[in-house]
Amino acid sequence: MRRGLSVFNVTALALGLAFLYLPIVILVIYSFNASRLVTVWGGWSTRWYLALLSDNAMLEAAWISVRIAFLSATAATVLGTLAAVALVRGGRFRGRVVFSGLVYAPLVMPEIITGLALLLLFVAVDVERGFWTVTLAHATLTMCFVTVVVQSRLLSFDMSLEEAARDLGCPPLKAFFTVTLPLIFPAVAAGWMLAFTLSLDDLVIASFTTGPGSVTLPMRIYSEVRMGVKPEINAVSTIMIALVAIGVIVAAVVTKRGAIVRERATGDR
Amino acid sequence: MMDSPFNSRGRTWPRHAPGIDPGAKPLVRFDAVTKRFGGLAAVERLTLDIFDNEFIALLGPSGCGKSTLLRMLAGFEQPDEGRILLDGADIAGVPPHRRPVNMMFQSYALFPHMTVGGNVAFGLKQEDVPKAEIDGRVRDILKLVQLEGFDQRKPHQLSGGQRQRVALARALVKRPRVLLLDEPLSALDRKLREETRFELMELQHRIGLTFIMVTHDQDEAMAMSDRIGVMHQGRLVQVAPPAQIYERPNSRWVAGFVGDVNLIECQLVESGPTGSALECAGVGRLSIAQSVDAPPGSALCVALRPEKVDVASLPPDAADGSHFAGRVLDIGYLGDLSIYRIQLESGFVLKASAANRSRLAAARIARGDSVFVSWSSDAGVVLTQ
């Protein structure tokens, strides 16, 4: 099975990777640019990272973003896990197809529509838009991602484990928390991580649902860029790329490790 | 097995198989239980009494409803009709976690995130047993299943046989009234399975507990249990000790499912108090030492186990029983046994098996040889169903 790395394959791979990552690599490199001009290389420096530390507006936006991401990811994880349990365990309850369709709709729904719909809702019920409306909107957006991740884990979950717990004297709810939840936890954690990063970099829905005073980091960056790209933006973007990358990698590793442990547990039968 | 065909394994401790102690109260009673899945009956009007200290096996092909029966007793399924009584009380409304029965799952269902000790202690923690008592009972039960010193291991660090014993210990430590075993040995390889059979029997003997085992493996059911309930399409076809199931099956289906058999279709000629004569289209006239309660001319079936058929090169001189001439079609050599397929003069193909007691036995009769088959008058069983 040695397909090997033919010239064609290597070229295709290189071009593909370049297409995806060259812009990001350039951005990261220019974030260490000493020059004031974004397009002119003036040597290595970390001055824009230091400048960021004194940019209060930017720091505040980052802090708001992190808090929104944390809260919305947590809410999405709870709701998304419950939805996954209902979809996998509920058997053929009435409206199961409709329910799963509704859960997955945000995956494919254009963000601008979700954003607009949420805006209309918040206006209709007349809540003050700001921190909490963005949090709520992000929880709605990211819940389906958690459901997808947790559901795929639950499908491979040996139901007899939970039955064994009940057989040994454990009431159903406690059996779920002491046996099922710890075992599917890697998937739940991965779902949380995914929701966190999705919330962190969302611009469209946040723009629709926020109010004065609650500007998230992507919104802040976007408004700054409109006045012309400052080198500080490159620095803050690099930090965000690092955060999101770490989040995605941790989620992947946690899921993968869970799978390996599971394989070992049931492997040599 | 032949000496006392209906007294299984010559056990000496009290047993309450029906007919031996008619006054015994059943520990578990399935009373006309029906369970349907989507309109299809998995278990149909099934009635069965199970007694204290009994080892009963529910035997049947997959999909016969035996696992459903077990899951209803454990509480994971509710019967649609009928009642399940435990110690005389209906357990319909009792959820699984309050039933004094424990189950050993086919996959063992050990909790992979807990140690062996944690797995075994799990059930006791749910009962709020004091910590010191839990430790003692866990230690004792691990000793019983020969897993001393394994309490800190995780399930994935154990071999298949060790996992099976942890699953057993985890169920037994709760001191249930009944232990349910769902295909307990199916995940083990062949050698280990045979050893574990004896361990399980020995354990059941020692702790004196009612075991209900579900299996599709007839050897397992025959070797281990006091009684076998043979199930087919949601019904109990026959419930009897293993030797009776084998030697006195009550229907063509049981005879064919348990062990190998020749089924010979016959018509009853006459029946007396000690025996009967039958005319078998493909074979000839048979005399069987069994009284048949049917009018002459009824269509019946004679079940004849291959090992009860003698194969010889010379005509047998025995006056009792039946003998016919035939030709060897082929021989299946299995080492300990040889299976002969013999075509009788009438065209009927009969299976016979013989133990290869001498090293040259297999060479004595060869394919294509003319042989004589014979069996005694008590070898065959007349089946009316």
Side-chain angles (χ1 to χ4, degrees), chain A residues 158 160-172 174-175 178-180 182-183 261-262 264-269, chain B residues 71 74 76 96-97 99 101-103 105 107 109-114 119 122-123 126 156 158 163 170-171 174 187:
Chain A
D158 181 6
S160 61
L161 285 170
E162 205 174 299
E163 281 180 353
R166 285 164 63 198
D167 187 63
L168 292 166
C170 208
K174 193 177 169 198
T178 50
V179 173
T180 310
L183 290 172
V261 167
R262 237 178 306 134
R264 257 195 309 177
T266 53
D268 52 335
R269 265 210 257 121
Chain B
R71 289 174 60 81
F76 296 125
H97 61 276
R99 294 193 180 191
V101 297
N102 285 112
M103 174 127 132
F105 290 81
S107 64
L110 298 180
F111 306 133
H113 58 306
M114 298 181 195
N119 266 283
F122 186 88
Q126 310 308 319
H156 68 82
L158 303 178
R163 277 183 215 164
R170 189 177 70 175
K174 298 266 292 179

Side-chain angles (χ1 to χ4, degrees), chain A residues 126-144:
Chain A
D126 196 22
V127 289
E128 195 187 330
R129 274 164 290 138
F131 183 85
W132 291 107
T133 48
V134 179
T135 307
L136 216 57
H138 280 180
T140 320
L141 171 76
T142 54
M143 185 193 121
C144 57

Side-chain angles (χ1 to χ4, degrees), chain B residues 323-334:
Chain B
H323 62 90
F324 301 94
R327 198 169 53 82
V328 178
L329 283 183
D330 45 44
I331 303 173
Y333 177 69
L334 301 179

